[in-house]
Amino acid sequence: MNQIYNKNVTLVCDESFDGIMTAVYDGWVLMNKGCKVQIHPGKDYAPTFFSQFVPIETDMDKAVRVAESIRVKVSDKAYRMVYEACMHYDGDRADTVFEFLKLAYPVGARVTQMLANPYVMRLMELKRKVLNEAHLFKEFLRFDELKGGVLYGKIEPKCDVMPFVSQHFEARFPEEDWIIYDEKRKKAAVHKHGMDIIVVEGQDIEQLTKKLQTEDEYRELWKVFFNTIGIESRYNPKCQQNHMPEWYRKNMTEFK
């Protein structure tokens, strides 16, 4: 960690869960030294004269220690809430987690019931939005079949819902080979039957699989089915958008 010369410190960490947990670890050390700590995940920040911005490198040992301490000293439920909230995209998620943990360690498991506290409420709001989006992508994800029989689905979620979506399809299609690709984060969950999911990051899977994509007759049948079952007299695009916002449609077969 860089030398600290200001009592107001902003720790700039990786956007991943492990990155935020590492920043929580270092932030706790600085807080005990009398510093006022904020945590900013990601690189989109504007340094100011009022706070020292300190880059934090992800350290798996520190991240695991924080995660285990939440489970042991607070509860498994609190850990799940923290993990799910970290999958949101809002810039305040790491600060919310940090403030939540300040409250959680002294009081233990009952922190999850302290709904009058603004940080507990904010954490629950973040995790609820993540799980709601994950639920929708479980329904809206469409698979195409690549050469070799591998199923390929592409998503562009606002939140990092890949862990929840991939776990769902691991349980649903345990005997299938499939890839779910998050185009926004350049991250893919790769599943081979009989094996655990492997997460591949930093690769443009769309380009790597382009030559393997085939013309699927079922894709055209699905489009015909979708258009056929529609009742023209009951066509209501506003209602349809409420149930299926447009950002979900880009990679859905029936809207291509």
Side-chain angles (χ1 to χ4, degrees):
M1 193 187 307
N2 293 5
Q3 183 177 358
I4 304 301
Y5 56 81
N6 193 328
K7 286 297 183 181
N8 294 319
V9 180
T10 300
L11 304 181
V12 182
C13 64
D14 186 80
E15 292 191 273
S16 68
F17 175 72
D18 294 324
I20 294 174
M21 291 297 99
T22 302
V24 167
Y25 183 99
D26 289 341
W28 213 269
V29 173
L30 292 173
M31 182 185 71
N32 289 332
K33 292 180 179 180
C35 293
K36 182 180 179 181
V37 178
Q38 291 183 305
I39 302 175
H40 182 89
K43 300 178 180 178
D44 57 334
Y45 64 93
T48 69
F49 291 109
F50 305 105
S51 183
Q52 180 182 353
F53 282 70
V54 180
I56 299 296
E57 290 189 12
T58 301
D59 185 316
M60 289 303 298
D61 181 59
K62 291 179 180 179
V64 169
R65 288 174 69 179
V66 173
E68 286 301 317
S69 74
I70 298 171
R71 286 193 176 103
V72 173
K73 296 180 180 180
V74 188
S75 67
D76 283 332
K77 181 179 179 180
Y79 170 76
R80 289 195 301 272
M81 288 173 61
V82 167
Y83 178 78
E84 290 158 0
C86 285
M87 298 298 107
H88 204 278
Y89 57 86
D90 271 3
D92 75 332
R93 65 191 184 278
D95 276 337
T96 300
V97 166
F98 193 60
E99 296 298 328
F100 172 81
L101 292 176
K102 285 183 191 179
L103 178 68
Y105 283 124
V107 304
R110 66 188 178 90
V111 70
T112 59
Q113 300 173 1
M114 299 172 64
L115 303 183
N117 184 279
Y119 295 110
V120 178
M121 281 300 297
R122 178 59 178 156
L123 192 81
M124 294 191 71
E125 180 185 2
L126 290 171
K127 77 114 177 178
R128 184 172 62 249
K129 289 180 178 179
V130 170
L131 296 182
N132 284 347
E133 188 175 20
H135 174 72
L136 290 173
F137 271 104
K138 291 173 188 177
E139 297 181 347
F140 295 151
L141 176 63
R142 302 291 186 257
F143 284 103
D144 287 331
E145 186 172 359
L146 305 180
K147 292 178 181 177
V150 177
L151 302 177
Y152 175 71
K154 187 167 64 173
I155 58 176
E156 293 183 56
K158 292 182 178 181
C159 302
D160 187 359
V161 300
M162 179 69 81
F164 314 106
V165 175
S166 60
Q167 286 171 12
H168 169 78
F169 284 101
E170 182 180 31
R172 187 175 179 187
F173 299 143
E175 299 303 318
E176 300 289 344
D177 298 334
W178 49 258
I179 299 170
I180 300 174
Y181 178 52
D182 183 341
E183 189 172 34
K184 183 176 180 180
R185 295 169 181 81
K186 296 291 185 285
K187 179 166 66 174
V190 181
H191 176 267
K192 184 173 177 59
H193 66 280
M195 299 178 65
D196 292 333
I197 293 173
I198 298 173
V199 177
V200 179
E201 298 189 59
Q203 295 288 335
D204 190 342
I205 301 296
E206 179 73 4
Q207 289 299 319
L208 294 176
T209 60
K210 204 165 188 178
K211 291 183 179 180
L212 298 176
Q213 294 180 28
T214 61
E215 287 300 322
D216 188 350
E217 61 182 5
Y218 289 101
R219 188 185 308 161
E220 296 305 317
L221 287 173
W222 178 251
K223 290 179 183 179
V224 171
F225 171 75
F226 177 77
N227 292 325
T228 302
I229 63 172
I231 302 173
E232 187 174 350
S233 60
R234 300 184 67 180
Y235 178 63
N236 188 336
K238 186 175 181 180
C239 179
Q240 189 183 58
Q241 283 194 339
N242 288 337
H243 290 284
M244 189 184 295
E246 291 200 8
W247 75 78
Y248 293 104
R249 303 183 188 189
K250 182 179 178 181
N251 298 301
M252 295 180 67
T253 304
E254 59 267 42
F255 289 103
K256 288 182 179 179

